[in-house]
Every structure is written in C-alpha cells, then in structure tokens.
C-alpha cells in the first residue's frame, strides 16, 4: 500500500469496491432481511461453538469506528464452566435485587412484562460461551500514563452492534444482557477498575423449544424523518 504523509501523518489510499445502484439496493435489502430475522434468545442449548467463531465476531466488532480511534473496548470470552457458574451467581444476585427486591421501578417492570424476563439466569451455565464487553474509561500509555478516551459509550455501543450482527451472520444466537450493576464482573474476570462492564452476551444456539416475545419493530415512518 502506498503511504503518503499528510501534515506529517501517514495516510493510505481508500478505494472501496464501487457498487452499481441496483446491486446496492439488492445488498441493502438482503442485509436488512438478515438483520430483521435476528431475535434475542433467553433459552439456549449447550452445543459447542468453536472459539474461532467467537474470535471472528470480536474481530468484526473491533472494526467499529471509535472516538479518536481509541478502540475503547475489551471483549472477555469465557468458556470455563467454573467462571460461568460464578457469573451466573453474580448476575442472579443482582437481578434478584432488581426483580424481587424492588430495585426496578414499577414503570420499568411494566415495560419488561411482555418480555417474560425474570431473575433466573440459568442459561448462563448452558451456553458454550459468555462474552463480556468492557468499556475502557481511559487507556494507558506506554509509560502507564492515563490516556483520555473519547465517546466511550457510543464507540462501545457501535462495536456491540457489529458483534451481534456478526454472531447472527454465523447462525449464532445471543442476548444483550445487562445484569446491573455489573461491577461484580470486574472481580470475577479480573479486569481493572478503569474498564466498566457494558454488556454481557451469552452465546450459543437457541433451544429447540425456544420461544421469543412477539414484538413488532417500529416502521420506517416511525423512526425516520427525511428532509429532502
Ligand atoms: C442495552 C440493552 C440492554 C438489555 N438488557 C437486557 C437484560 O438485561 N435482560 C434481557 O433479558 N434483555 C435485555 N435486553 C434485550 C432487549 O429486551 C431486546 O433487545 C428487546 O426486547 C428487543 O428484542 P430483540 O432483540 O429480539 O429484537 C437489552 C437490550 C439492550 C439493547
């Protein structure tokens, strides 16, 4: 690749494939159809998933744009049964306080009711993999100095979206799970305090008797405003 210097910084040519308009529509439709068929799953089977699939999903996620290109994400992939059991115990303890202990306000409980969620997180010991995504609040320079990160939440959110899409593309199912507060994951997974747990993804194949809530997605008119 031919590098040039712009203001003393290296740049390389970027010439993505050019896509004809009809082909663009066909690809866009195909991608939409595929993404639209994704559902969050809360009942899994225990069939193995190769580590390679998890690595590819993490690599796909890691292509996300990020504030000042800080890439402030860490993906901790867990298949160790003992660690999964500790994660389940930690998640259920927090979720029991949320669901049974009244930590979730009534309006939130009402919003969750159609999803059929509760504090039972047994799937965390059924799935072959759990991936916990940590958001790095600040980085560390070569001398251990504090490096400012930018737009951490937004960057990690985009990476998580790509991660979910990549898993779906490989025929895998997941759930965007946030057993809040999630700091218990730092201790179990031995991550430093500057990394904040963002989302916990159980990953596997849906159980044969898996049911998902009959949800409707908002129409284009409800989510888009065009000003032409
Ligand atoms: C940031 C975020 C946090 C979520 N947290 C939970 C959670 O803790 N437990 C759960 O069962 N689902 C959780 N979900 C999943 C949503 O309930 C689910 O995405 C939504 O109902 C739409 O269903 P779908 O993913 O099948 O389209 C979360 C989703 C997002 C985006």
């Amino acid at each position: 690749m031919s590098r040039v210097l712009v203001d003393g910084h290296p740049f390389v040519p970027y010439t993505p494939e050019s896509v004809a308009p009809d082909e663009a529509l066909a690809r866009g439709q195909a991608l939409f159809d595929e993404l639209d068929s994704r559902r969050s799953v809360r009942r899994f089977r225990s069939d193995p998933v190769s580590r390679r699939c998890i690595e590819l999903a993490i690599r796909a996620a890691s292509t996300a744009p990020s504030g000042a290109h800080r890439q402030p994400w860490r993906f901790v992939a867990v298949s160790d049964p003992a660690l999964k059991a500790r994660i389940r115990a930690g998640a259920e303890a927090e979720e029991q306080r949320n669901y049974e202990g009244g930590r979730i306000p009534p309006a939130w409980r009402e919003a969750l009711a159609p999803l059929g969620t509760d504090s039972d997180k047994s799937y965390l010991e059924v799935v072959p993999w759990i991936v916990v995504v940590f958001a790095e609040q600040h980085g560390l320079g070569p001398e251990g100095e504090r490096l400012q990160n930018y737009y951490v939440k937004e960057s990690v959110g985009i990476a998580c979206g790509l991660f979910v899409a990549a898993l779906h593309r490989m025929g895998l199912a997941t759930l965007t799970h946030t057993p809040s507060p999630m700091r218990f994951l730092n201790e179990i997974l031995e991550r430093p305090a500057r990394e904040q747990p963002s989302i916990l993804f159980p990953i596997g194949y849906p159980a044969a008797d898996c049911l998902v809530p009959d949800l409707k997605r908002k129409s284009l008119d409800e989510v888009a405003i065009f000003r032409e």
Side-chain angles (χ1 to χ4, degrees):
M1 221 179 289
S2 55
R3 278 206 169 82
V4 293
L5 287 184
V6 178
D7 292 336
H9 301 286
F11 276 64
V12 289
Y14 176 59
T15 48
E17 174 197 9
S18 94
V19 182
D22 284 357
E23 172 66 9
L25 283 178
R27 287 191 195 185
Q29 182 69 48
L31 180 62
F32 165 68
D33 290 342
E34 187 170 335
L35 294 177
D36 196 33
S37 70
R38 181 206 56 82
R39 293 305 312 273
S40 289
V41 162
R42 298 176 181 86
R43 282 179 66 85
F44 293 86
R45 55 185 208 262
S46 59
D47 299 18
V49 168
S50 95
R51 172 177 160 154
R52 189 87 184 96
C53 287
I54 303 300
E55 288 174 351
L56 282 168
I58 294 172
R59 290 180 70 192
S62 228
T63 66
S66 63
H69 193 46
R70 290 290 203 232
Q71 305 169 85
W73 42 71
R74 287 290 177 280
F75 293 80
V76 181
V78 177
S79 65
D80 174 357
L83 276 183
K84 283 192 278 187
R86 288 181 64 197
I87 292 173
R88 175 191 175 181
E92 287 188 335
E94 294 301 346
E95 296 283 42
Q96 277 155 12
R97 285 181 207 115
N98 290 335
Y99 285 92
E100 285 107 54
R103 198 160 58 183
I104 301 184
W108 192 349
R109 290 184 72 92
E110 218 170 283
L112 288 175
L115 307 180
T117 56
D118 57 28
S119 61
D120 174 3
K121 304 301 173 192
S122 40
Y123 53 74
L124 293 174
E125 284 192 85
V126 173
V127 285
W129 290 96
I130 294 173
V131 170
V132 181
V133 184
F134 288 83
E136 199 187 50
Q137 300 308 300
H138 67 87
L140 285 184
E143 312 286 310
E145 73 275 21
R146 187 190 165 98
L147 269 187
Q148 178 76 36
N149 284 341
Y150 305 94
Y151 297 109
V152 171
K153 267 193 181 172
E154 294 83 349
S155 305
V156 173
I158 296 171
C160 287
L162 293 178
F163 185 67
V164 169
L167 293 173
H168 182 60
R169 185 84 170 99
M170 290 187 275
L172 295 166
T174 191
L175 171 70
T176 310
H177 187 197
T178 45
S180 305
M182 295 172 67
R183 276 291 180 185
F184 69 93
L185 291 163
N186 285 75
E187 195 206 324
I188 296 174
L189 299 174
E190 299 174 3
R191 302 309 303 163
R194 69 191 169 84
E195 292 181 15
Q196 189 169 342
S198 176
I199 293 175
L200 185 165
F201 292 102
I203 297 165
Y205 296 99
D209 59 353
C210 176
L211 292 174
V212 294
D214 184 14
L215 303 178
K216 300 283 172 273
R217 296 197 164 118
K218 288 182 179 174
S219 67
L220 180 64
D221 286 348
E222 289 171 290
V223 299
I225 294 117
F226 287 83
R227 304 285 302 269
E228 292 177 280

